[in-house]
């Protein structure tokens, strides 16, 4: 099986993909403190039955760098139905969400105190069961009325029909057409009720960013470069309001920009970093540099030039500091190309987004190194705070993660079902064959139906499949079912260990080298890098390329048949 992890260490082309705690109100390593909002409320007429079904209100918010991830803060209900929770705010106005059971609403928060009340007797009968007070009270009341109006609006935009309408149109006409369609409901609402200025700003912002997201997605699909005349419409400067629509649109912008930058036809000199930049990176992060090597790099950096015969020297230093330098070179190369194509604010977003996407697949040490390095490059305070928020979430269990890695390291290169943290068992044997190691894990689970998940920490789809697989443990009893993770090897052996501990991936984990994995896969015959195999109670493979964890219905049919 050809591995995608082999690296080409050439000076001109170094492309290693950055795979794919709420921030506290204190300054961290020069990152300014954030504001906060206190959300209080009460569910009146709360019955004992409703309390047992839903004893907690969830308040969530967005991060502009990661639209798919809502940052949730639980607010336990008191016996009288009241609740109180404090959340950080990075932007001066942020769209937040209240979820209680099957009821949810968006509201606009600003620094201060905000209250939300619900009546349990009318939760499922009233179109607007929420009463708002405090910060933005009038705005949130009117917005709730607008959302009820929008829900009943008959002429809702249909993205499929919109795609047909804009087929063949240029980017400006596409944006205008889509924005008009998204704004139809609010224009009709404004005829019935005069909107407050902040409500109009809020709704128009949502519609504008939804239209921007549509344009970015179309441009990405068609591999089209958007005109700079659209920049202010798609990415309004100095926007201090954060909504889910904005986070989603900006994520799509970053995906569009990354594709544009990596596929652009540029000349050879634009493909690599300058000698000065590479020399600076090696001086700062190179491993075990001698004084002679440092002096030579200093000379290269000052002169910003090198001969073709010097490439071997650089190549040797890069190999010595493999992952560290390659990741930084990848980042710097992307930033260099970004500066040629986009304005300063957009370049800053691309840089922050790149690390945000990479964080889940990085070890603690790499995450810290890249976080510090990228933070130095970002100028926008909100982006610094947003990136720091995601970084803190990724490293919040660092003590437990480091203890798990230490436990595995103490077991040596031959570790047999070592419990590195409760419920997480790791097996590895660098000497034996992949088939022998695989058989060892399977035999230890004889008498159970075994779900083997081949996955990759370097890909979002692989990480999500690994998380989704945990649901199976809550469906089936441990005496009948076993979950085995088979991760693709990465350049850093600790990457999967840290990821599995951080996310409490309970089950068996088989860590193989590339050669061992090829041996094991000759039996599994997996067709994709994220795939599954089902093994019955006597150790026989009964389903290759089985349904993945997110295909719950089909997967359960196969598993149930073998139980």
């Amino acid at each position: 099986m050809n591995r995608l992890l082999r690296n080409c260490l050439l000076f001109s082309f170094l492309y290693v993909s950055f795979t794919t705690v709420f921030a506290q109100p204190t300054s961290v390593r020069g990152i300014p403190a954030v504001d906060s909002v206190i959300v209080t409320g009460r569910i009146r007429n709360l019955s004992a039955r409703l309390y047992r079904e839903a004893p907690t209100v969830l308040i969530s918010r967005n991060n502009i760098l990661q639209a798919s991830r809502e940052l949730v803060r639980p607010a336990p209900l008191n016996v009288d139905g009241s609740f109180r929770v404090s959340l950080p705010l990075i932007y001066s106005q942020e769209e937040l969400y209240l979820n209680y059971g099957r009821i949810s609403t968006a509201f606009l928060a600003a620094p201060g105190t905000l209250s939300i009340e619900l009546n349990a007797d009318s939760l499922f009968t009233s179109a607007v069961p929420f009463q708002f007070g405090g910060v933005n009270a009038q705005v949130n009341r009117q917005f709730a009325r607008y959302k009820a109006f929008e829900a009943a609006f008959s002429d809702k935009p249909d993205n499929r029909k919109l795609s047909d309408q804009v087929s063949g149109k240029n980017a400006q006409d596409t944006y205008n057409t889509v924005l008009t369609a998204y704004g139809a409901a609010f224009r009709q609402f404004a005829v019935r009720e005069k909107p407050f200025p902040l409500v109009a700003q809020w709704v128009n912002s949502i519609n504008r960013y939804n239209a921007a997201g549509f344009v970015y997605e179309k441009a990405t699909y068609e591999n089209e470069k958007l005109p700079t005349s659209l920049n202010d419409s798609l990415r309004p400067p100095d926007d201090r309001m954060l909504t889910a629509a904005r986070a989603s649109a900006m994520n799509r912008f970053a995906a569009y920009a990354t594709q544009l930058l990596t596929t652009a036809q540029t000349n050879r000199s634009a493909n690599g970093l300058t000698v000065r930049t590479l020399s600076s990176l090696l001086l700062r992060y190179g491993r075990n540099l001698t004084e002679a090597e440092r002096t030579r790099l200093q000379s290269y950096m000052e002169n910003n030039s090198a001969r073709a015969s010097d490439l071997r020297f650089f190549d040797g230093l890069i190999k010595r500091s493999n992952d560290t330098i390659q990741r930084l070179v990848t980042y710097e190369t992307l930033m260099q190309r970004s500066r040629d194509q986009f304005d300063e604010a957009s370049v800053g977003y691309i840089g922050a987004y790149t690390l945000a996407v990479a964080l889940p697949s990085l070890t603690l040490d790499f995450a810290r190194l890249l976080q510090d390095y990228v933070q130095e490059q970002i100028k926008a305070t909100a982006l610094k705070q947003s990136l720091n928020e995601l970084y803190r979430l990724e490293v919040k269990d660092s003590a437990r993660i480091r203890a798990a890695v230490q436990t595995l390291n103490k077991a040596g290169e031959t570790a047999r079902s070592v419990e590195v943290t409760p419920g997480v068992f790791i097996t590895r044997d660098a000497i034996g064959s992949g088939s022998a190691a695989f058989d060892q894990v399977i035999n230890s689970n004889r008498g159970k139906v075994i779900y083997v998940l081949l996955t990759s920490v370097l890909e979002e789809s692989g990480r999500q499949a690994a998380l989704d697989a945990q649901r199976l443990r809550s469906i089936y009893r441990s005496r009948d079912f076993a979950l085995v993770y088979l991760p693709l090897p990465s350049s850093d052996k600790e990457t999967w260990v840290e990821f599995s501990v951080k996310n409490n991936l309970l089950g068996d984990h088989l860590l193989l080298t590339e050669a061992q994995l090829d041996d094991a896969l000759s039996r599994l015959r997996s067709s994709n890098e994220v795939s599954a195999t089902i093994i019955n109670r006597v150790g026989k493979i009964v389903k290759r390329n089985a349904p993945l964890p997110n295909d719950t219905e089909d997967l359960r049919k196969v598993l149930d048949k073998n139980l």
Side-chain angles (χ1 to χ4, degrees):
M1 175 182 178
N2 289 329
R3 303 298 312 120
L4 301 180
L5 306 176
R6 297 190 178 103
N7 302 321
C8 180
L9 297 176
L10 298 178
F11 172 56
S12 297
F13 295 90
L14 292 172
Y15 298 119
V16 177
S17 296
F18 275 115
T19 57
T20 3
V21 181
F22 285 114
Q24 300 300 315
T26 56
S27 181
V28 180
R29 293 197 301 275
I31 301 171
V34 299
D35 288 320
S36 63
V37 60
I38 296 173
V39 180
T40 65
R42 185 177 179 185
I43 300 178
R44 297 189 178 277
N45 301 320
L46 180 66
S47 66
R49 180 183 62 81
L50 186 59
Y51 178 80
R52 286 194 300 270
E53 293 176 354
T56 304
V57 171
L58 301 178
I59 308 295
S60 56
R61 48 184 291 273
N62 303 290
N63 186 293
I64 196 169
L65 297 174
Q66 202 168 65
S68 61
R69 185 178 193 171
E70 281 192 354
L71 308 176
V72 181
R73 182 68 59 90
L77 289 174
N78 298 314
V79 292
D80 63 349
S82 63
F83 61 90
R84 183 181 189 277
V85 66
S86 176
L87 295 93
L89 293 179
I90 292 176
Y91 290 83
S92 58
Q93 300 282 352
E94 286 198 24
E95 185 179 79
L96 271 58
Y97 316 92
L98 177 144
N99 289 275
Y100 181 68
R102 290 176 290 147
I103 299 297
S104 64
T105 187
F107 59 95
L108 197 63
T113 301
L114 183 153
S115 67
I116 308 174
E117 290 197 358
L118 302 85
N119 191 321
D121 294 337
S122 60
L123 281 180
F124 306 106
T125 58
S126 174
V128 184
F130 310 99
Q131 293 294 324
F132 294 93
V135 174
N136 290 338
Q138 287 184 320
V139 168
N140 287 318
R141 290 173 197 153
Q142 189 176 65
F143 185 79
R145 293 194 296 272
Y146 162 67
K147 294 303 288 184
F149 174 86
E150 183 188 45
F153 187 64
S154 60
D155 192 20
K156 295 183 180 69
D158 183 316
N159 281 347
R160 286 189 177 182
K161 292 181 180 179
L162 284 174
S163 295
D164 292 337
Q165 291 178 31
V166 300
S167 178
K169 289 188 176 182
N170 62 37
Q172 182 66 65
D173 289 343
T174 295
Y175 176 76
N176 293 339
T177 299
V178 175
L179 181 60
T180 299
Y182 284 143
F186 189 62
R187 288 194 298 274
Q188 289 298 314
F189 177 80
V191 172
R192 296 179 43 175
E193 181 178 339
K194 183 178 180 181
F196 293 111
L198 189 52
V199 173
Q201 180 186 345
W202 183 6
V203 177
N204 288 333
S205 174
I206 293 172
N207 293 334
R208 183 177 65 246
Y209 281 114
N210 281 335
F214 187 102
V215 171
Y216 286 131
E217 193 164 23
K218 180 175 181 287
T220 302
Y221 178 77
E222 297 177 353
N223 200 23
E224 172 192 10
K225 183 177 180 180
L226 297 172
T228 57
S229 58
L230 265 179
N231 286 358
D232 287 350
S233 297
L234 301 179
R235 305 186 300 280
D238 302 320
D239 189 350
R240 294 300 301 164
M241 179 181 289
L242 178 62
T243 64
R246 182 183 182 189
S248 178
M250 291 304 296
N251 279 196
R252 290 177 179 177
F253 159 68
Y256 153 79
T258 301
Q259 176 176 293
L260 179 70
L261 295 169
T262 55
T263 59
Q265 295 299 314
T266 54
N267 59 46
R268 180 182 175 86
S269 62
N271 282 334
L273 293 179
T274 63
V275 173
R276 175 174 289 122
T277 300
L278 184 58
S279 299
S280 175
L281 290 175
L282 286 167
L283 277 170
R284 183 173 179 181
Y285 297 104
R287 294 179 185 174
N288 305 320
L289 296 179
T290 66
E291 282 303 315
E293 289 169 338
R294 287 186 175 278
T295 299
R296 192 171 174 183
L297 286 171
Q298 189 69 41
S299 175
Y300 289 137
M301 187 173 68
E302 292 173 356
N303 297 323
N304 194 29
S305 64
R307 300 186 301 270
S309 58
D310 296 322
L311 294 183
R312 181 175 297 179
F313 169 73
F314 282 104
D315 186 61
L317 296 185
I318 291 169
K319 287 180 178 178
R320 190 188 304 169
S321 307
N322 196 354
D323 284 345
T324 302
I325 296 300
Q326 288 197 35
R327 289 178 188 274
L328 292 173
V329 167
T330 299
Y331 174 81
E332 282 295 344
T333 301
L334 185 66
M335 291 301 96
Q336 178 173 294
R337 292 183 171 187
S338 298
R339 295 183 192 102
D340 294 336
Q341 298 284 343
F342 301 105
D343 57 65
E344 183 178 76
S346 299
V347 171
Y349 183 85
I350 294 169
Y353 174 85
T354 300
L355 178 54
V357 170
L359 279 174
S361 66
L362 300 179
T363 62
L364 292 173
D365 291 340
F366 266 136
R368 176 60 184 265
L369 183 150
L370 293 173
Q371 156 79 352
D372 290 346
Y373 184 82
V374 174
Q375 285 284 4
E376 294 176 2
Q377 318 299 318
I378 300 172
K379 295 183 179 180
T381 298
L383 286 182
K384 284 179 173 287
Q385 294 168 330
S386 298
L387 182 58
N388 186 60
E389 179 173 63
L390 296 177
Y391 170 75
R392 288 167 65 90
L393 279 169
E394 292 297 331
V395 303
K396 62 178 178 160
D397 290 331
S398 59
R400 185 171 68 91
I401 295 170
R402 291 189 187 282
V405 172
Q406 187 176 20
T407 298
L408 182 61
N409 289 338
K410 285 182 179 179
E413 289 301 312
T414 302
R416 297 188 176 181
S417 195
V418 175
E419 189 173 23
V420 295
T421 197
V424 177
F425 298 88
I426 293 181
T427 295
R428 69 180 180 187
D429 184 353
I431 300 175
S433 69
S435 289
F438 183 77
D439 286 338
Q440 178 187 321
V441 174
I442 299 305
N443 290 335
S444 68
N445 287 290
R446 284 288 181 117
K448 304 177 183 180
V449 173
I450 305 170
Y451 186 74
V452 180
L453 180 66
L454 175 69
T455 187
S456 171
V457 71
L458 301 181
E459 300 294 334
E460 171 61 26
S461 59
R463 296 192 296 270
Q464 190 58 53
L467 298 174
D468 291 342
Q470 285 295 301
R471 290 199 298 265
L472 298 172
R473 294 180 57 86
S474 63
I475 297 173
Y476 299 103
R477 294 176 298 183
S478 59
R479 68 183 183 185
D480 297 321
F481 173 82
L483 175 61
V484 176
Y485 288 100
L486 183 58
L488 298 181
S490 59
S491 52
D492 193 319
K493 296 179 181 180
E494 296 179 0
T495 303
W496 180 263
V497 180
E498 292 194 6
F499 177 77
S500 61
V501 174
K502 176 171 58 181
N503 293 284
N504 293 310
L505 300 184
L506 307 183
D508 286 291
H509 301 254
L510 177 58
L511 308 186
L512 301 177
T513 65
E514 286 192 27
Q516 289 174 328
L517 183 64
D518 287 342
D519 184 28
L521 289 181
S522 66
R523 293 165 58 184
L524 300 181
R525 302 175 204 164
S526 301
S527 59
N528 296 296
E529 289 203 337
V530 179
S531 62
T533 302
I534 295 175
I535 300 173
N536 67 13
R537 291 179 183 272
V538 296
K540 179 182 178 182
I541 295 177
V542 293
K543 182 67 175 178
R544 292 183 172 89
N545 296 307
L548 291 176
N550 63 342
D551 190 359
T552 307
E553 185 176 348
D554 288 343
L555 176 55
R556 290 193 64 177
K557 287 179 181 178
V558 182
L559 291 173
D560 291 347
K561 182 179 179 180
N562 289 279
L563 285 172

